[in-house]
Amino acid sequence: MKPILVSGIQPTGALHLGNYLGALKHFVELQNSGKYRCFFFIADLHALTQNPDPRELKGNIENLMRAFLAAGLDPRKSTLFIQSATSFPQELAQVLATFTPVSELMRMTAFKEKVIQKLGKKETFEEVVERSNFGLAEYPILMAADIFLYDAAVVPVGDDQDQHLELARTLARKFNVRFGKTFVEPKALHTDVPRLMSLDDPAKKMSKSRPAGCLFMDDSLAEIRAKFSRATTDSGREIKYDEKDKPGVSNLLLIYSSLSGESIPALERRYTGKGYADFKDDLANVAVKTLVSYQTTKKKISAVAAKTTFTKGTRIAIKVAQKKMVEVKKKIGLA
Ligand code: AMP
Ligand code: TRP
């Protein structure tokens, strides 16, 4: 049997190049490798932790379903589904919550960052705890449930999710020790771009919370060109990969290499003696090619068609998840 692979993306706003190079593009490659049984889903329950406007959330869900399909996820090869379409993740999360020390949840970097981001300023730890919603704290438990329900061994994500996966492994171990082998301990799988940095500030991660540094997958041609031409480079003139002394150029080289498939040393050789302007122009052309092809495909996929595809996938996901939940309930004495 092929190893099982699960991943999800939250419908919390426009998809950016970090999401694409760190996650979605990788999903498609892994799906097409034929090495895994793949499940990909829209993590809409996780998005609730941001208290979104209902209409906006609905629009984001539709948009992300279309994005999955436009990027190349294929319902004939992968099970594509919506997280909230079943109550199994929440049911299992409730069980897992009873194995999770509250202190461990409070220590999660993503939790602390998200709360601070929501409140708009740095707070003391006590203020964070005081003012965060519980959904944000519980987030990694729900994520572990998403993974365990399908027996996933492999979880392709960006490196911001590593801590959550570590917690999932701990939970799997604890549960298995007490009730016998039930859950698979999942491993994160990263791309060569596990942490794409911002175009305007290579010291910060490209993130929806800082739109100024994002290249969005739906940006217009003019925006793509303008963003690369404005992108922060470093002092000196050399086009060389050096994360410490040339973080801006290194980030751009990573993007170039990831989009074009050329190796970084080959790119360095090609741009020896050339200036930043030439390099950025060529990079913009490479990005335009990928993004235009993605955008053209996405325009042809209606929200209704995407919904139909995801509804079909959800039926399959429910069957798999239900089986696991029955097994869990038996083991813990609820059935
Ligand atoms: P999210 O939009 O937070 O659900 O993230 C979707 C996926 O994109 C997750 O696997 C993240 O780890 C990944 N991701 C988000 N930002 C970046 C980034 N700047 N570089 C690489 N991967 C990222
Ligand atoms: N927490 C992930 C993110 O922010 C989304 C997610 C939810 C997820 N459940 C998951 C990813 C299960 C992988 C597996 O990107």
Side-chain angles (χ1 to χ4, degrees):
M1 240 186 32
K2 291 181 187 178
I4 295 167
L5 178 155
V6 166
S7 196
I9 296 185
Q10 300 181 74
T12 42
L15 214 61
H16 57 66
L17 196 64
N19 301 133
Y20 182 67
L21 297 181
L24 193 51
K25 179 171 176 272
H26 198 203
F27 294 178
V28 176
E29 289 159 3
L30 292 163
Q31 161 195 272
N32 293 340
S33 76
K35 288 204 287 208
Y36 303 96
R37 177 168 184 206
C38 296
F39 293 84
F40 297 110
F41 67 95
I42 311 281
D44 52 354
L45 291 171
H46 279 100
L48 284 182
T49 58
Q50 300 296 312
N51 305 121
D53 167 79
R55 269 226 305 250
E56 217 171 278
L57 176 61
K58 195 159 182 276
N60 283 339
I61 294 171
E62 284 173 3
N63 200 34
L64 191 55
M65 289 192 290
R66 292 170 58 223
F68 271 28
L69 297 171
L73 290 182
D74 180 345
R76 289 166 302 183
K77 297 180 184 165
S78 297
T79 302
L80 308 178
F81 67 102
I82 306 281
Q83 183 189 29
S84 67
T86 91
S87 56
F88 297 123
Q90 287 125 296
E91 260 186 67
L92 182 54
Q94 180 61 26
V95 175
L96 298 176
T98 63
F99 288 83
T100 316
V102 175
S103 60
E104 229 163 279
L105 297 175
M106 303 290 104
R107 267 202 294 277
M108 295 282 133
T109 317
F111 165 71
K112 289 193 271 184
E113 276 174 3
K114 282 215 172 99
V115 176
I116 290 165
Q117 175 189 314
K118 232 167 151 238
L119 300 176
K121 59 184 170 99
K122 278 220 179 306
E123 306 266 329
T124 64
F125 184 68
E126 285 69 28
E127 281 169 317
V128 165
V129 173
E130 178 93 8
R131 300 181 57 185
S132 76
N133 71 60
F134 183 66
L136 273 176
E138 188 232 7
Y139 185 107
I141 305 181
L142 184 60
M143 182 163 162
D146 291 329
I147 298 168
F148 295 166
L149 282 170
Y150 304 95
D151 283 332
V154 177
V155 182
V157 278
D159 71 2
D160 56 345
Q161 300 300 316
D162 285 357
Q163 214 185 7
H164 296 158
L165 278 169
E166 194 57 54
L167 178 75
R169 277 196 294 278
T170 307
L171 287 176
R173 267 196 301 274
K174 274 193 198 170
F175 191 97
N176 290 346
V177 165
R178 168 117 194 250
F179 296 106
K181 180 95 185 96
T182 311
F183 299 134
V184 175
E185 285 183 39
K187 277 210 188 73
L189 199 62
H190 295 318
T191 62
D192 294 340
V193 194
R195 172 172 294 245
L196 188 68
M197 307 314 273
S198 272
L199 294 181
D200 67 335
D201 180 354
K204 300 208 169 90
K205 198 183 80 156
M206 187 179 285
S207 155
K208 290 169 195 172
S209 62
R210 289 189 61 261
C214 289
L215 182 76
F216 290 107
M217 294 301 288
D218 288 323
D219 275 347
S220 68
L221 287 183
E223 279 165 330
I224 299 170
R225 291 192 194 285
K227 285 183 179 178
F228 280 117
S229 121
R230 275 201 309 269
T232 305
T233 38
D234 316 284
S235 56
R237 299 153 49 117
E238 257 183 311
I239 302 190
K240 206 170 121 248
Y241 193 88
D242 178 346
E243 274 181 42
K244 197 166 141 278
D245 290 332
K246 289 180 140 314
V249 170
S250 301
N251 196 38
L252 295 180
L253 272 169
L254 259 181
I255 298 176
Y256 201 142
S257 163
S258 187
L259 287 174
S260 70
E262 289 165 89
S263 73
I264 289 181
L267 289 169
E268 287 172 337
R269 278 196 297 278
R270 173 126 64 87
Y271 287 97
T272 307
K274 294 197 178 149
Y276 287 156
D278 281 344
F279 170 65
K280 284 171 153 191
D281 266 355
D282 291 352
L283 169 56
N285 284 334
V286 170
V288 160
K289 216 169 127 199
T290 306
L291 267 59
V292 165
S293 140
Y294 162 86
Q295 290 172 10
T296 310
T297 312
K298 185 162 167 244
K299 279 200 192 92
K300 292 190 201 136
I301 303 167
S302 70
V304 176
K307 185 106 200 272
T308 309
T309 301
F310 276 73
T311 307
K312 281 192 194 143
T314 300
R315 279 191 217 118
I316 300 170
I318 288 179
K319 279 199 193 130
V320 180
Q322 185 171 25
K323 218 170 133 214
K324 195 79 204 174
M325 204 57 224
V326 168
E327 181 189 344
V328 170
K329 281 185 157 175
K330 274 194 190 137
K331 288 203 165 140
I332 61 177
L334 288 181

